[in-house]
Amino acid sequence: MLYWAVVFLIVALVAAVFGFGGIASASAGIAQILFFVFLVLFVIALIARAVRGQPPRM
């Protein structure tokens, strides 16, 4: 999911450079939503792992 957030961020940056404001705005919004969804799922996974008593893998 973080991969897709980065992809949409790059699309937004390229669109902004070429002057496509609507596409840049939409892509940046999607990237932001995906990033926060990734962040929430990451925190939930950390909490679930802590509750199960397993140490984090490195």
Side-chain angles (χ1 to χ4, degrees):
M1 184 158 314
L2 187 58
Y3 170 79
W4 286 109
V6 172
V7 168
F8 277 106
L9 178 64
I10 291 171
V11 168
L13 291 174
V14 170
V17 166
F18 289 116
F20 297 110
I23 295 172
S25 171
S27 295
I30 292 170
Q32 187 176 9
I33 290 169
L34 287 176
F35 177 75
F36 285 120
V37 168
F38 166 79
L39 211 58
V40 167
L41 291 175
F42 179 70
V43 170
I44 290 172
L46 285 178
I47 292 170
R49 183 175 289 268
V51 167
R52 289 179 19 198
Q54 295 178 350
R57 289 187 299 196
M58 295 279 178

